[in-house]
Amino acid sequence: MSYHFAIVGTRDNPLFDLDFGTSKLGGDGLSHFKPEAAHMNQFILHASLDMVEEVQWANKDLYLKKIDSYQNNSIHCFLTATNVKFLLLMNPDPSATPYSQHTPGTTTSPPPRAAANAKHSATLLAANPSSPQTEEAVRVFMGEVYESYVKCTLNPFYRANQIITSPIFRSRVQAAAKKYL
Amino acid sequence: MPAATDDNTYGVQPPGLDFKDSNTIPLPPPKHFQPSLRYPSSRKTIYDRNLSRPSSTTSLASFAYIFNTIITYHHAKSGSVSEIETRLNRAGYPIGIKMLDLLLYRQSGKAVRPIRLLELLQFIHGALWRGLFGRAADALEQSTSKKNEYMIVDNEPVVNTYISIPREMSQLNCAAFVAGIIEGVCDAAAFGTEGVTAHWAEGDEMWPGKTIFLLKFQEKVIERDEAIKASVG
């Protein structure tokens, strides 16, 4: 159960990113992505920006819910009024994601660990990315991040599309993640 | 490649490297990264502030003083009326970008992104004006001749309260600053403009300071808006 959160600016430029795991149900709060996921996650998130652009002129809400999925990753998006995208990638079992070894058309059998965890992970948010509980949790999480983001932009020294480096912003996002996801 | 050992830290010379007989001076070991963030004495950062202060009011006197300083600065730097207006416009632009997110945040649960042109214009006319000046703008009109031009009218812009324009610069309207804010909002909401300008509305005896903000949207914005209108039905 791992998450990758990124803020993408109006020129599709990354502003902020953070990996974390769930703190619910005995989770340790750390992400357990495979090493190759470090770049794959960014790739998957940026690929979903096309979906955001399709949805954004049809849906007035800030929170666009689940917009894309790739293998067992699913991506939720929150779009601010200034077209800055908050993207949250959730993966119920990172060790089961085949990434480049994946051959389309064949269903990969889940590794033994995933089978053992299946019962446990069924109750996790990321196992049901479209369920109302997940959407509500992500909505609240995004709302907290939005608040911190607005405060960040109100800094007179912050220009639009500038990378967010503030350690306090990071700790705020981490706190929100720990609380809701 | 020699295997890294535990004692191979910066204090101990790695094997095969001897600096004694050379003139080179080894670099000092890198310092541990120390975040240089400094907290204010109250220990409250901008992240601890509350964003939804109800109807916060700023002193008009202090605003007038700062705005006067901005105009004096740009006047001294520029050679023509249009250059002052451009500079004031640029000064307001980042405020618009930030206001859009702030105002939407303050609407909390019922916040929606403006996706139609009319929604954006009503947002500017209502929410933005209320956020900045405590009241809605006085009129919102579409140009009769051109499809992509809209006008927002303010009978008495607050920014011009204490501004007197010398006779030789009578075309100058310092509400160009507000025009810059409007342009920032439009651009940030992905409604690109070809410029927002502030003009004096002449011949109105009741409101001598009446100002018209002219919004010229890009053709592609109009096209997109019509496409959305067609798809919604």
Side-chain angles (χ1 to χ4, degrees):
Chain A
M1 180 73 183
S2 300
Y3 295 94
H4 177 74
F5 174 73
I7 299 180
V8 179
T10 55
R11 298 178 191 280
D12 295 348
N13 50 330
L15 304 182
F16 176 85
D17 71 334
L18 179 70
D19 278 338
F20 55 90
T22 184
S23 301
K24 303 264 185 236
L25 297 162
D28 53 4
L30 300 171
S31 68
H32 298 285
F33 285 116
K34 289 181 185 176
E36 62 183 327
H39 61 271
M40 286 303 287
N41 281 347
Q42 294 184 1
F43 182 62
I44 295 165
L45 279 187
H46 278 78
S48 71
L49 290 176
D50 284 341
M51 309 295 173
V52 178
E53 279 170 19
E54 262 177 41
V55 177
Q56 77 173 106
W57 297 109
N59 189 344
K60 286 182 189 181
D61 291 330
L62 297 168
Y63 176 42
L64 303 176
K65 301 186 179 173
K66 186 189 161 194
I67 50 156
D68 198 8
S69 60
Y70 177 78
Q71 296 178 356
N72 63 349
N73 300 292
S74 40
I75 293 120
H76 286 239
C77 178
F78 181 96
L79 184 64
T80 74
T82 50
N83 281 303
V84 173
K85 293 109 187 161
F86 297 175
L87 297 167
L88 181 73
L89 179 147
M90 51 175 72
N91 190 326
D93 188 12
S95 60
T97 313
Y99 292 117
S100 51
Q101 277 84 50
H102 182 68
T103 42
T106 59
T107 48
T108 49
S109 60
R113 191 176 152 262
N117 282 354
K119 199 180 168 195
H120 168 69
S121 63
T123 51
L124 290 170
L125 291 174
N128 313 300
S130 305
S131 74
Q133 295 99 310
T134 311
E135 281 176 358
E136 191 52 38
V138 177
R139 180 195 304 278
V140 182
F141 167 74
M142 292 294 195
E144 292 240 329
V145 178
Y146 189 37
E147 182 183 345
S148 298
Y149 172 77
V150 172
K151 287 174 180 172
C152 173
T153 58
L154 289 183
N155 181 345
F157 299 106
Y158 181 85
R159 285 175 285 112
N161 282 333
Q162 202 177 10
I163 291 171
I164 301 170
T165 52
S166 165
I168 300 176
F169 181 82
R170 185 166 290 267
S171 66
R172 288 266 162 155
V173 176
Q174 278 165 338
K178 195 174 175 187
K179 205 163 152 194
Y180 300 111
L181 297 177
Chain B
M1 190 178 163
T5 52
D6 279 348
D7 60 355
N8 187 10
T9 49
Y10 288 102
V12 180
Q13 295 274 334
L17 286 174
D18 193 359
F19 293 100
K20 274 177 198 159
D21 298 326
S22 70
N23 291 324
T24 51
I25 302 162
L27 289 170
K31 282 181 189 150
H32 266 289
F33 174 71
Q34 291 269 331
S36 58
L37 185 81
R38 287 191 295 174
Y39 286 85
S41 53
S42 63
R43 311 291 299 169
K44 289 216 164 180
T45 63
I46 50 169
Y47 296 101
D48 297 309
R49 301 264 199 93
N50 193 355
L51 280 177
S52 35
R53 275 179 297 181
S55 65
S56 55
T57 46
T58 313
S59 150
L60 181 61
S62 36
F63 169 76
Y65 180 75
I66 294 170
F67 192 56
N68 168 39
T69 315
I70 295 172
I71 294 169
T72 314
Y73 173 81
H74 290 304
H75 182 206
K77 291 257 177 183
S78 47
S80 66
V81 167
S82 67
E83 197 182 340
I84 300 176
E85 289 195 336
T86 314
R87 281 168 163 273
L88 286 173
N89 187 299
R90 292 301 100 190
Y93 186 85
I95 300 176
I97 294 177
K98 294 171 182 197
M99 279 306 282
L100 180 58
D101 260 335
L102 178 64
L103 291 172
L104 246 77
Y105 173 81
R106 283 188 179 158
Q107 290 174 358
S108 64
K110 53 188 191 308
V112 287
R113 287 177 297 115
I115 58 172
R116 296 290 307 274
L117 190 55
L118 200 59
E119 290 167 0
L120 178 79
L121 290 165
Q122 279 166 347
F123 177 83
I124 295 171
H125 175 267
L128 178 72
W129 236 258
R130 271 193 292 275
L132 289 172
F133 310 121
R135 60 179 174 86
D138 293 298
L140 171 63
E141 293 163 12
Q142 184 175 13
S143 162
T144 46
S145 53
K146 286 185 183 159
K147 231 178 173 180
N148 63 337
E149 290 187 3
Y150 289 84
M151 287 168 288
I152 291 174
V153 182
D154 193 325
N155 288 341
E156 208 174 13
V158 178
V159 291
N160 282 351
T161 312
Y162 299 109
I163 309 283
S164 42
I165 305 290
R167 191 175 295 275
E168 68 272 17
M169 300 171 78
S170 60
Q171 284 304 303
L172 174 67
N173 190 331
C174 291
F177 182 72
V178 181
I181 297 177
I182 297 172
E183 193 172 336
V185 169
C186 294
D187 264 8
F191 289 82
T193 62
E194 291 170 358
V196 179
T197 45
H199 305 276
W200 296 110
E202 278 157 26
D204 194 320
E205 286 179 7
M206 194 175 169
W207 304 103
K210 190 170 175 178
T211 299
I212 297 171
F213 297 97
L214 183 65
L215 291 80
K216 277 187 202 164
F217 288 98
Q218 290 169 1
E219 282 299 327
K220 61 177 184 184
V221 172
I222 306 294
E223 282 165 21
R224 186 187 65 205
D225 198 57
E226 277 168 2
I228 295 173
K229 187 182 172 188
S231 70
V232 172

